[in-house]
Amino acid sequence: NDSTDLDSDMEQIHYPSMCSYNMSDIFSDLVRFAAQTLVLGGHLVYWLPSIKEEFHQSTLPNHPCLSVIACSEQPLSISVSRYLITMQKNLPWTPDTDSDQRLICNTV
C-alpha cells in the first residue's frame, strides 16, 4: 500500500516554527560569529540593504576584533541601495570581547 508509506513519510517531516528575527540582530550575530571564527587577517564580506538617506558608515555593525576596510554602494533605485561591506579580523577573539560595550548594530 503505497499511500500508507507516503503518509508515514510525511509525518516525519518537521517544519521549524517561524519566529521574528530583526535585521539588526541578524547582522550583529553575523559580525559576532565572524569575530569568533575567522582567522586573524580573515575577511567577512556581506551585502547590507539600506535606504540611501538613512545609511551612514558609522552605523555599520562593528566588533572590537574587526575593522571595516571597504564599503561599496550599489544603487537599486532612487532611494534604495545595497552596500557591499568588507571587514577584516585584526584582533584575536576572547569571550570578553563579546561583552565589550563597543559591539554595536544600528542597521536597518
Side-chain angles (χ1 to χ4, degrees):
N1 191 331
D2 290 336
S3 66
T4 305
D5 291 340
L6 183 60
D7 291 340
S8 65
D9 288 342
M10 294 299 286
E11 290 175 9
Q12 300 297 324
I13 297 173
H14 172 71
Y15 295 98
S17 60
M18 298 289 290
C19 65
S20 177
Y21 196 18
N22 197 348
M23 183 137 32
S24 64
D25 293 335
I26 292 170
F27 287 108
S28 287
D29 289 347
L30 176 66
V31 169
R32 185 178 298 112
F33 178 75
Q36 292 175 5
T37 59
L38 284 173
V39 297
L40 283 177
H43 293 90
L44 168 65
V45 181
Y46 63 94
W47 285 109
L48 178 68
S50 183
I51 297 170
K52 288 181 183 185
E53 292 178 0
E54 297 176 5
F55 180 81
H56 300 285
Q57 195 164 340
S58 63
T59 62
L60 290 174
N62 63 59
H63 191 280
C65 296
L66 302 170
S67 61
V68 175
I69 60 172
C71 177
S72 304
E73 179 184 8
Q74 180 184 28
L76 300 175
S77 71
I78 293 172
S79 60
V80 176
S81 286
R82 66 181 183 174
Y83 297 85
L84 186 63
I85 311 299
T86 304
M87 301 179 86
Q88 184 173 30
K89 184 171 180 179
N90 299 318
L91 298 171
W93 178 86
T94 65
D96 293 336
T97 58
D98 276 348
S99 63
D100 193 317
Q101 295 301 317
R102 293 178 292 165
L103 180 61
I104 300 169
C105 187
N106 297 322
T107 59
V108 192

